[in-house]
């Protein structure tokens, strides 16, 4: 017989479960692969130089855009009463939608489809190649198409003796700056050697069948990875299924080297079409609709195995978008467009550069969870430790002193950064509250009210203009290992990744895509 206390506890747990169910049913995924549970692989790879361009392709490599899109076909054993599942699983086949010859296409090569135009310019060709690979991978979902998860790799070397990178979107004849950037000399902005393990069938101990695959490589062009990584730079991104949840587990690893001390590696959920965070051209991604502040959530499971050292700015999550300083959506004009980023850094070694004695690294004000505006010079109330740094767009005309502009070279247009740290101010939205939360040894499934948090953040806007609609075109997880020449290594995995919007809220409009 149940006691009164047991009955009350049962009733309470039942109510919680019902509430959770109602909450689940009130949200809809905007991803083509909700929770990463598609049985088919939809992964693409992109590599960039410092200013999100190609510049030059690596020797004997194609344009640095690749894809692994494979459909898993297994026989229906319901009608095969005389065959065991163990027999039938061996008949499962992988249908590759992208050929290795597609991945090896390089600037100047013609595309197999006349719909896509070749170019000898490596920057222009890479843009077109991404669209071509997308056409091979596109997955119709009702009237909407989606394409792939994007694995992004970026080289932080910057040769100030070249003019490959514009300054706040403006082409310049000579780079004149007192900022310090790593570069071992001519050629330091090269693209990587990239190798592909094409998706193939594997089976689990419980007889389930799935696929595994991945990309890996190095920026050190003289490296022989068959002899091991050694002191070379290294990256890898591989995928396999979690047999319990059916989610893809995307495992990533990144190692810096003496020649390549500043590297970035992310898993990105990008807009299915249109501008993605940090770019100024039409790209391809997995978000069918765009999330808008304050009405969206991000769910993911993160397992950090190695942190990457004290300079590893591990982002959970990095959200990116683009709007002009007058609040209008971006239109591709790199002189007036501004990339906006908000990044939660969970590495406990990352300190707050925003301090009472360094207001230049703080946003002009903080908006509390109750809607109260707190100025950065209010030293008794401003939560300095909630921020790593803030920097303003280099094309803003009415900045409040003191200010520092963001690096003017690492994006094709001006950029604005709000980098935040674990803090009780953000914990109300499901984010880490204390240093170490979610870090090495603390694998968790997170449900982040990213929309609510992002609506509170300060972003610059010209006085007297209509507030920008904060529509986010990229949501990323991964690390930026900042200038670590001794060979720092970060290793982590992401699964159950999803972006959710309330059913009652209209998602991002086409004009933003």
């Amino acid at each position: 017989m149940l006691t009164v206390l047991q009955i009350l506890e049962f009733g309470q747990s039942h109510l919680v479960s019902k509430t959770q169910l109602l909450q689940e049913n009130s949200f809809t995924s905007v991803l083509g692969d909700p929770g990463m549970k598609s049985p088919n692989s939809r992964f693409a790879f992109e590599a960039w130089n410092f200013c999100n361009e190609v510049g030059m392709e690596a020797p004997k490599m194609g344009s640095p855009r690749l894809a692994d899109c494979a459909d898993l076909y297994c026989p229906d054993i319901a009608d095969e009463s005389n065959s065991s599942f163990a027999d039938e699983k061996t008949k499962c086949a992988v249908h590759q939608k992208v050929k290795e010859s597609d991945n090896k296409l390089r600037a100047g090569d013609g595309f197999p489809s006349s719909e896509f135009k070749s170019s000898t310019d490596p920057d222009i060709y890479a843009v077109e190649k991404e669209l071509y690979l997308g056409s091979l991978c596109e997955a119709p979902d009702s009237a909407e198409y989606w394409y792939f998860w994007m694995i992004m790799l970026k080289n932080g070397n910057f040769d100030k003796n070249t003019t490959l990178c514009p300054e706040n979107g403006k082409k310049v004849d000579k780079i004149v700056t007192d900022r310090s950037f790593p570069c071992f000399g001519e050629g330091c902005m090269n693209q990587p050697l990239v190798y592909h393990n094409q998706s193939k069938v594997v089976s689990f101990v419980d007889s389930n069948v799935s696929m595994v695959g991945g990309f890996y490589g190095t920026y050190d062009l003289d490296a022989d990875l068959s002899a091991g990584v050694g002191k070379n730079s290294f990256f890898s991104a591989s995928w396999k299924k979690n047999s319990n949840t059916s989610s893809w587990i995307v495992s990533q690893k990144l190692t810096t080297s003496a020649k390549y001390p500043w590297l970035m590696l992310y898993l990105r959920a990008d807009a299915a079409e249109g501008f993605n965070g940090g770019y100024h051209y039409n790209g391809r991604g997995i978000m069918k609709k765009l999330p808008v502040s304050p009405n969206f959530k991000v769910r993911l499971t993160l397992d950090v195995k190695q942190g990457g050292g004290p300079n590893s700015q591990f982002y959970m999550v990095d959200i990116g978008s683009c709007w002009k300083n007058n609040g209008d959506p971006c239109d591709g004009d790199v002189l007036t467009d501004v990339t906006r980023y908000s990044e939660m850094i969970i590495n406990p070694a990352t300190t707050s550069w925003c301090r009472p004695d360094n207001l230049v690294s703080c946003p002009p004000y903080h908006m509390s969870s109750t809607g109260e505006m707190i100025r950065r010079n209010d030293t008794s109330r401003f939560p300095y430790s909630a921020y790593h740094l803030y920097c303003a767009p280099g094309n803003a005309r009415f900045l409040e002193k003191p200010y520092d502009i963001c690096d003017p070279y690492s994006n094709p247009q001006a950029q604005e950064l709000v980098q935040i740290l674990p803090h009780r101010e953000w914990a109300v939205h499901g984010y880490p509250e204390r240093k170490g939360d979610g870090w090495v040894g603390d694998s968790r499934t997170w449900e982040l009210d990213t929309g609510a948090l992002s609506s509170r953040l300060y972003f610059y806007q010209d006085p007297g203009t209509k507030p920008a609609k904060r529509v986010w075109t990229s949501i990323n997880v991964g690390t930026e290992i900042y200038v670590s020449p001794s060979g720092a290594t970060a290793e982590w995995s992401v699964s159950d990744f999803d972006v959710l919007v309330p059913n009652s809220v209209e998602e991002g409009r086409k004009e933003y895509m």
Side-chain angles (χ1 to χ4, degrees):
M1 177 178 288
L2 292 175
T3 66
V4 173
L5 179 60
Q6 288 172 323
I7 292 171
L8 289 174
E9 288 176 340
F10 174 80
Q12 187 177 35
S13 66
H14 177 69
L15 287 173
V16 169
S17 299
K18 187 174 181 181
T19 300
Q20 290 174 337
L21 181 62
L22 289 172
Q23 290 175 341
E24 290 288 329
N25 290 338
S26 64
F27 282 81
T28 300
S29 175
V30 298
L31 301 185
D33 182 13
M36 312 185 81
K37 293 189 176 182
S38 171
N40 305 315
S41 78
R42 290 294 185 274
F43 297 98
F45 174 89
E46 60 183 359
W48 298 103
N49 66 21
F50 187 66
C51 49
N52 288 356
E53 297 290 2
V54 174
M56 61 193 80
E57 297 171 349
K60 300 181 181 179
M61 294 285 122
S63 175
R65 300 293 181 274
L66 298 88
D68 185 299
C69 299
D71 291 345
L72 180 64
Y73 287 91
C74 292
D76 184 356
I77 66 170
D79 298 327
E80 303 285 343
S81 56
N82 295 325
S83 299
S84 69
F85 187 83
D87 293 331
E88 291 302 323
K89 72 182 182 183
T90 62
K91 299 179 181 178
C92 292
V94 176
H95 291 195
Q96 304 288 349
K97 300 174 76 69
V98 179
K99 301 174 182 178
E100 286 302 89
S101 58
D102 297 317
N103 283 329
K104 291 178 181 177
L105 290 168
R106 60 183 302 122
D109 289 346
F111 291 101
S113 169
S114 60
E115 179 184 350
F116 302 93
K117 306 303 179 185
S118 180
S119 172
T120 56
D121 184 319
D123 295 336
I124 297 173
Y125 191 87
V127 172
E128 198 73 1
K129 185 178 179 182
E130 181 175 335
L131 300 181
Y132 168 67
L133 293 174
S135 73
L136 302 178
C137 298
E138 64 184 16
D141 187 349
S142 300
E144 299 163 329
Y145 282 87
W146 54 275
Y147 301 92
F148 30 57
W149 295 96
M150 183 62 77
I151 296 158
M152 174 186 169
L153 178 72
K154 184 171 178 178
N155 177 3
N157 283 348
F158 180 38
D159 186 352
K160 293 188 287 187
N161 294 319
T162 73
T163 55
L164 286 171
C165 298
E167 184 175 285
N168 290 319
K170 183 180 180 181
K171 290 289 186 180
V172 291
D173 295 330
K174 185 178 180 180
I175 301 294
V176 180
T177 179
D178 58 0
R179 294 175 185 249
S180 177
F181 301 97
C183 179
F184 57 75
E186 185 177 356
C188 70
M189 298 175 67
N190 63 283
Q191 293 297 326
L193 305 176
V194 185
Y195 305 101
H196 180 202
N197 289 326
Q198 200 171 45
S199 285
K200 63 180 182 180
V201 174
V202 294
S203 58
F204 300 117
V205 292
D206 58 2
S207 296
N208 286 327
V209 176
S210 182
M211 292 185 288
V212 296
F215 300 105
Y216 69 98
T218 177
Y219 273 101
D220 291 84
L221 299 180
D222 57 351
D224 178 9
L225 293 182
S226 64
V229 175
K231 294 184 178 180
N232 296 301
S233 62
F234 180 76
F235 65 89
S236 67
S238 60
W239 47 89
K240 65 179 181 180
K241 276 290 183 178
N242 183 324
S243 60
N244 294 321
T245 67
S246 297
S247 171
W248 288 108
I249 302 173
V250 180
S251 299
Q252 295 178 263
K253 189 172 185 177
L254 182 66
T255 299
T256 60
S257 69
K259 293 174 67 176
Y260 301 91
W262 184 1
L263 297 175
M264 292 146 265
L265 182 63
Y266 312 119
L267 177 66
R268 294 171 57 109
D270 291 327
E273 59 182 64
F275 301 149
N276 296 325
Y279 313 149
H280 60 105
Y281 63 84
N282 189 22
R284 290 290 180 262
I286 205 158
M287 285 201 292
K288 300 183 295 180
K289 299 288 186 181
L290 297 182
V292 184
S293 299
N295 298 303
F296 69 97
K297 294 184 178 183
V298 175
R299 182 184 296 154
L300 74 156
T301 299
L302 175 65
D303 183 6
V304 182
K305 295 176 174 61
Q306 293 187 77
N311 294 338
S312 174
Q313 295 188 166
F314 198 100
Y315 302 136
M316 188 199 75
V317 289
D318 170 336
I319 58 175
S321 189
C322 189
W323 62 82
K324 297 179 185 292
N325 289 328
N326 65 3
D328 289 345
C330 290
D331 57 11
D333 179 356
V334 293
L335 296 179
T336 57
D337 288 351
V338 181
T339 303
R340 321 277 176 167
Y341 297 109
S342 166
E343 300 162 335
M344 164 64 80
I345 302 174
I346 64 170
N347 186 347
T350 304
T351 60
S352 177
W353 293 3
C354 169
R355 302 184 305 272
D357 62 349
N358 191 43
L359 296 182
V360 71
S361 293
C362 304
Y365 63 80
H366 169 79
M367 189 68 70
S368 75
S369 60
T370 59
E372 183 180 9
M373 182 186 294
I374 304 172
R375 306 293 302 184
R376 61 183 166 182
N377 59 1
D378 187 345
T379 56
S380 65
R381 301 171 65 234
F382 190 93
Y384 300 100
S385 59
Y387 293 90
H388 173 54
L389 71 82
Y390 166 79
C391 59
N395 61 357
R397 296 180 297 159
F398 306 102
L399 293 172
E400 180 180 319
K401 295 180 179 180
Y403 65 83
D404 188 17
I405 66 167
C406 297
D407 166 50
Y409 308 108
S410 60
N411 270 233
Q413 60 260 346
Q415 59 178 323
E416 181 176 24
L417 284 173
V418 186
Q419 293 186 323
I420 58 179
L421 299 172
H423 196 278
R424 61 181 179 274
E425 279 293 314
W426 317 126
V428 296
H429 304 303
Y431 280 76
E433 180 176 2
R434 293 170 295 274
K435 286 181 177 292
D437 286 354
W439 198 233
V440 178
D442 186 22
S443 174
R444 300 191 195 182
T445 297
W446 298 86
E447 184 163 308
L448 310 172
D449 195 344
T450 308
L453 186 150
S454 61
S455 68
R456 291 173 54 192
L457 298 176
Y458 171 86
F459 285 100
Y460 171 84
Q461 194 155 337
D462 291 338
T465 56
K466 184 179 178 181
K469 188 173 184 179
R470 299 183 178 185
V471 183
W472 301 97
T473 55
S474 295
I475 300 178
N476 318 318
V477 183
T479 195
E480 174 176 354
I481 303 181
Y482 178 74
V483 192
S484 299
S486 59
T489 295
E491 186 175 3
W492 68 97
S493 67
V494 177
S495 56
D496 309 307
F497 196 171
D498 213 342
V499 181
L500 305 161
V501 299
N503 290 331
S504 59
V505 175
E506 180 185 1
E507 297 92 339
R509 296 174 295 176
K510 277 288 186 180
E511 66 191 78
Y512 288 91
M513 298 186 69

